[in-house]
Amino acid sequence: MYLVTVVGNMLIMLTIGSDSHLHTPMYFFLSNLSFVDFCMVSTTVPKMLVSLLAENKAIPYADCLVQMHFFMIFSALDNFLLTVMAYDRFVAICHPLRYTIIMNPRLCGLLVLLSWITVVSLFYGTGLGVYLCSLVTHSSWKKTVASAMYAVITPMLNPFIYTLRNKDIKNALRKLISRISSSNR
């Protein structure tokens, strides 16, 4: 599942970046979502895989804090980018004639930047306080499985849900694959 997630998200970013027809706000946000999903899954899954294979499943406290720090940042970024994507679709549907004026490249970049800044602010404002003040609790097996599913399944499915059902992405992906296969001959 980790390999599918990494390859799927990288392929989406490469496809959007390589096709100039996809350089629109919606695909800009999708590319950022793929990047964030790639980062989110890469903060937890490699250590989880090592723990599954190793006899010692312990994680040092500092490593746990760092891992949780990045996981929380990327999880929150996922949520903010989905909100920005919803706004983009709202503007496209409710104001189609003014869409290109409203969703200009400057605003798109600003929305993504604000997503990053807001997440960092929220994280340091609340997340750090919670972790420094919380007591150590033992989670049940069900909570652990649910957390792992959220950390792995969601980033794996996002490329399929948001992009691979899209006709433009499918066409751009076909072009990219044919270019790569013709250059390898």
Side-chain angles (χ1 to χ4, degrees), residues 65-66 69-70 72-73 76 116-132:
L65 282 179
V66 169
H69 166 82
F70 286 109
M72 287 175 59
I73 283 178
W116 283 87
I117 290 172
T118 304
V119 166
V120 170
S121 300
L122 286 174
F123 173 78
Y124 284 112
T126 59
L128 191 59
V130 169
Y131 278 99
L132 293 177

Side-chain angles (χ1 to χ4, degrees), residues 1-63:
M1 288 193 313
Y2 178 66
L3 188 59
V4 168
T5 304
V6 169
V7 171
N9 283 301
M10 291 295 220
L11 197 56
I12 296 303
M13 288 185 288
L14 183 62
T15 302
I16 291 171
S18 68
D19 192 330
S20 62
H21 294 98
L22 300 179
H23 293 176
T24 63
M26 179 177 76
Y27 295 111
F28 174 71
F29 297 134
L30 285 172
S31 181
N32 276 278
L33 182 67
S34 289
F35 174 73
V36 169
D37 284 341
F38 166 77
C39 292
M40 184 168 69
V41 77
S42 294
T43 62
T44 56
V45 175
K47 177 61 179 161
M48 184 172 47
L49 292 173
V50 168
S51 292
L52 289 172
L53 298 173
E55 288 181 30
N56 182 6
K57 299 186 185 326
I59 181 170
Y61 184 72
D63 293 355

